[in-house]
C-alpha cells in the first residue's frame, strides 16, 4: 500500500488489489479452520451446562429429602426435650410444689426459641427459587449464589436452634451439600 497526505494532513491509504486478495484468502482460511473449533466449543459448553444442571438438581433433591428427615424428627425432638425439661425441674426443685402455669409459660418460651419450622419452610422456599432459576436457562450464577447464601443461613440457624444431635448432623449434611453446590455455581 502507499500513503499520501491529503489536504487535512491525514494520510490516505491505497491498498493494492493483491494485498486485499491475500488478506481475504487468509481470512477465509482462518475462518474455515476456526469455525469447527468454535462450534465444538459451543457444543462442549452446552453439554457441560446440561451436566451442571443435572448435578445441581440432584443435589437439590438431597437437600429436600434431608429437610423431610428433619421435619420428621422435629416432633420427636420436642417430646424428648419436654421429658428432659421435666426431669431437670424435678431434680432442681425436689419435692417443692411448682406452679403448672409458670412451667407452661417457661416451656412455651423455650419451645418458641427451639422451633425450627420457619427455617424448614424458608429453606424449602429457597429450594424452589433455586430450581426455578436453573430452569430459566440464562446466566443465573449470581442469583443462584445468592440463593445458596440464604440456604446456608437457614442451615446454620436450624443447626443452632435444634439442640438435637441427629438433626445437627443432618444440618451439617445440608451445609456440605450447599458448599458443593456453591462450587458448581462458580462454573456458571
Amino acid at each position: 500500500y502507499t500513503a499520501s497526505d491529503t489536504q487535512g494532513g491525514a494520510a490516505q491509504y491505497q491498498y493494492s488489489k493483491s494485498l486485499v486478495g491475500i488478506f481475504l484468502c487468509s481470512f477465509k482460511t482462518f475462518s474455515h479452520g476456526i469455525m469447527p473449533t468454535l462450534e465444538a466449543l459451543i457444543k462442549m459448553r452446552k453439554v457441560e451446562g446440561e451436566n451442571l444442571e443435572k448435578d445441581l438438581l440432584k443435589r437439590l433433591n438431597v437437600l429436600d429429602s434431608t429437610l423431610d428427615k428433619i421435619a420428621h424428627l422435629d416432633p420427636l425432638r420436642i417430646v424428648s426435650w419436654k421429658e428432659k425439661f421435666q426431669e431437670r425441674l424435678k431434680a432442681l426443685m425436689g419435692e417443692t410444689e411448682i406452679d403448672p402455669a409458670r412451667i407452661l409459660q417457661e416451656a412455651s418460651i423455650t419451645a418458641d426459641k427451639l422451633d425450627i419450622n420457619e427455617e424448614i419452610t424458608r429453606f424449602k422456599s429457597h429450594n424452589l427459587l433455586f430450581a426455578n432459576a436453573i430452569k430459566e436457562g440464562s446466566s443465573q450464577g449470581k442469583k443462584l449464589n445468592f440463593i445458596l447464601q440464604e440456604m446456608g443461613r437457614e442451615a446454620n440457624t436450624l443447626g443452632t436452634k435444634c439442640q438435637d444431635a441427629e438433626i445437627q448432623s443432618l444440618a451439617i449434611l445440608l451445609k456440605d451439600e450447599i458448599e458443593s453446590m456453591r462450587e458448581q455455581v462458580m462454573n456458571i
Side-chain angles (χ1 to χ4, degrees), residues 1 4-5 16 19-20 35 101 108 128 132 140 143 157 167-168 182:
Y1 68 87
S4 61
D5 284 338
S16 69
L19 184 60
V20 171
M35 289 311 290
S108 295
L128 288 173
N132 290 337
Q140 297 288 326
K143 184 176 183 178
T157 304
I167 293 176
Q168 284 175 335
R182 184 172 285 136

Side-chain angles (χ1 to χ4, degrees), residues 160-178:
T160 302
K161 287 175 74 174
C162 72
Q163 295 187 7
D164 178 86
E166 192 171 359
I167 293 176
Q168 284 175 335
S169 68
L170 291 171
I172 291 169
L173 177 68
L174 289 172
K175 291 194 280 188
D176 285 345
E177 206 64 36
I178 291 166

Side-chain angles (χ1 to χ4, degrees), residues 55-135:
D55 183 64
L56 288 170
L57 291 174
K58 181 184 82 169
R59 292 177 185 281
L60 201 58
N61 286 333
V62 170
L63 293 177
D64 278 332
S65 66
T66 303
L67 288 170
D68 290 342
K69 289 176 190 173
I70 291 170
H72 175 74
L73 292 171
D74 187 43
L76 303 173
R77 172 186 69 99
I78 297 299
V79 169
S80 174
W81 177 85
K82 179 183 173 187
E83 291 169 358
K84 289 177 187 176
F85 180 71
Q86 289 173 337
E87 289 172 12
R88 287 181 188 145
L89 277 178
K90 285 180 186 176
L92 288 171
M93 303 302 288
E95 296 299 317
T96 307
E97 185 73 25
I98 304 171
D99 180 16
R102 180 72 178 154
I103 292 174
L104 183 60
Q105 181 184 18
E106 291 299 321
S108 295
I109 291 169
T110 304
D112 188 48
K113 290 179 183 177
L114 299 177
D115 184 23
I116 58 174
N117 286 313
E118 282 183 40
E119 285 74 18
I120 293 170
T121 301
R122 280 195 301 267
F123 205 126
K124 287 189 174 232
S125 173
H126 296 321
N127 285 358
L128 288 173
L129 290 171
F130 193 88
N132 290 337
I134 288 175
K135 291 174 185 169

Side-chain angles (χ1 to χ4, degrees), residues 42-56:
I42 291 168
K43 184 178 179 182
M44 181 191 73
R45 298 269 320 234
K46 184 177 184 210
V47 169
E48 180 183 19
E50 290 168 353
N51 289 337
L52 279 172
E53 179 181 0
K54 286 177 190 173
D55 183 64
L56 288 170

Side-chain angles (χ1 to χ4, degrees), residues 28-43:
K28 285 180 185 178
T29 303
F30 173 76
S31 65
H32 285 300
I34 198 156
M35 289 311 290
T37 305
L38 288 175
E39 289 169 359
L41 175 65
I42 291 168
K43 184 178 179 182

